[in-house]
Amino acid sequence: MTTRREEVLSSLFILLQGISGVVVQRNEVLPERIPAAGLLILRDGTPGEAEVTLSPLRYHWQHRAEVELFVRGSSGLELAFDTLAERIGQVIAADRTLGGLCDWIETDAPEPADLAVEGAPTIRAAVLILTLHYTSNDPLG
């Protein structure tokens, strides 16, 4: 039996995989090479502390997941990064409830940073915080 948390995270992962040309992974270590089209790594994050309602008993979560975004290149890096971040925003805006599994998905603005790697093109990276609002019947589910 799959928990609500796993259903939400799996659906978010599938949603992100809909961004064509980009490699999307979940909870993987950063590979040695960043693909030319970019790389997204979904980190499960933390559900935080639930708000509890009684009768019926429900746990309301504001789960903070992270999407690590990476693009590489020697020119046009800013445009490539902004384009990929915008594509993430578009797929999320198209289905903010993940087909009804989630009440809402909020995104925070990225804070990009350039990573210099000796002998390789510069990598622009950021962590996007996604707040997933959903409800479960159990604190472990």
Side-chain angles (χ1 to χ4, degrees):
M1 180 177 199
T2 304
T3 64
R4 175 59 61 143
R5 178 176 20 264
E6 182 55 30
E7 288 176 334
V8 168
L9 291 168
S10 293
S11 292
L12 177 59
F13 181 62
I14 291 167
L15 184 72
L16 293 172
Q17 288 178 316
I19 301 173
S20 63
V22 177
V23 174
V24 181
Q25 300 176 340
R26 183 172 172 199
N27 296 320
E28 296 289 333
V29 290
L30 182 63
E32 289 184 23
R33 297 193 174 185
I34 304 298
L39 171 68
L40 302 177
I41 302 176
L42 172 63
R43 305 280 180 206
D44 289 355
T46 178
E49 190 170 327
E51 287 187 33
V52 180
T53 56
L54 305 172
S55 190
L57 180 61
R58 297 286 186 263
Y59 298 85
H60 307 281
W61 304 97
Q62 291 185 24
H63 187 126
R64 292 175 56 91
E66 298 176 351
V67 175
E68 296 174 358
L69 184 159
F70 301 92
V71 294
R72 68 175 169 86
S74 50
S75 65
L77 191 59
E78 296 82 7
L79 179 60
F81 178 87
D82 284 344
T83 300
L84 183 52
E86 181 179 34
R87 290 170 67 196
I88 294 168
Q90 289 170 346
V91 298
I92 290 172
D95 188 7
R96 286 196 185 273
T97 66
L98 300 173
L101 290 173
C102 195
D103 295 326
W104 195 252
I105 301 175
E106 293 178 46
T107 57
D108 288 352
E111 294 184 27
D114 290 339
L115 309 172
V117 179
E118 188 174 332
T122 301
I123 297 170
R124 179 157 284 190
V127 175
L128 304 174
I129 304 296
L130 305 180
T131 304
L132 310 166
H133 298 265
Y134 61 91
T135 301
S136 70
N137 297 331
D138 187 280
L140 300 177

